[in-house]
Amino acid sequence: MKKIVKILATILVFFVAIPLLVGFATTALWNNILTSACGFSIINLWQGVGIFILGQMLSGGFIFGCFFAVGSIHHILGHPRGELKHHWHNMTDEERKAFIERRASFGFRHNHQKDGNVSE
């Protein structure tokens, strides 16, 4: 249950609260500066949020930067670093083959053979 609450809180903060707060700031700055200085029209809150989201998509800005600074969304949600590497090294050869086959079914392909030569 704690994990679900943590996931929901993360989603709420990163995808609702931050865009709304920054959208409000964008709207206020736009309406107070750009309307008088450049003659642009006044925007509403949702247009300010849209400008923020568009900026995030075009620049890979704040929201994506927070995930890289913290580690990743995978790390935020409680999966410690190195867990997969540790798990991989403790697998048997049969478990590794099954894992690779499962990933291949999702479109992930492994193009190298065990001796390092590229397979065709």
Side-chain angles (χ1 to χ4, degrees):
M1 187 65 175
K2 283 184 178 182
K3 190 172 187 177
I4 293 172
V5 171
K6 191 174 186 179
I7 291 169
L8 290 175
T10 302
I11 289 171
L12 183 69
V13 167
F14 279 100
F15 297 107
V16 176
I18 290 175
L20 280 175
L21 289 173
V22 175
F24 179 74
T26 301
T27 303
L29 289 170
W30 182 285
N31 291 337
N32 289 322
I33 297 171
L34 291 177
T35 55
S36 61
C38 299
F40 293 145
S41 62
I42 294 175
I43 64 171
N44 62 27
L45 174 65
W46 298 113
Q47 290 170 326
V49 171
I51 291 170
F52 170 69
I53 292 171
L54 179 63
Q56 293 300 302
M57 290 189 305
L58 294 176
S59 67
F62 175 76
I63 290 178
F64 298 117
C66 286
F67 286 131
F68 290 123
V70 174
S72 70
I73 189 69
H74 192 72
H75 180 67
I76 291 171
L77 298 178
H79 301 283
R81 295 174 194 232
E83 182 178 300
L84 182 61
K85 183 178 179 181
H86 178 71
H87 182 67
W88 179 261
H89 288 293
N90 290 332
M91 283 183 173
T92 64
D93 287 337
E94 295 81 25
E95 291 173 330
R96 288 180 186 174
K97 286 181 182 179
F99 176 78
I100 291 170
E101 288 172 6
R102 280 195 314 268
R103 284 184 50 95
S105 69
F106 289 106
F108 296 100
R109 301 280 182 226
H110 188 269
N111 294 329
H112 296 89
Q113 293 176 349
K114 192 171 187 174
D115 62 358
N117 296 332
V118 177
S119 62
E120 310 247 354

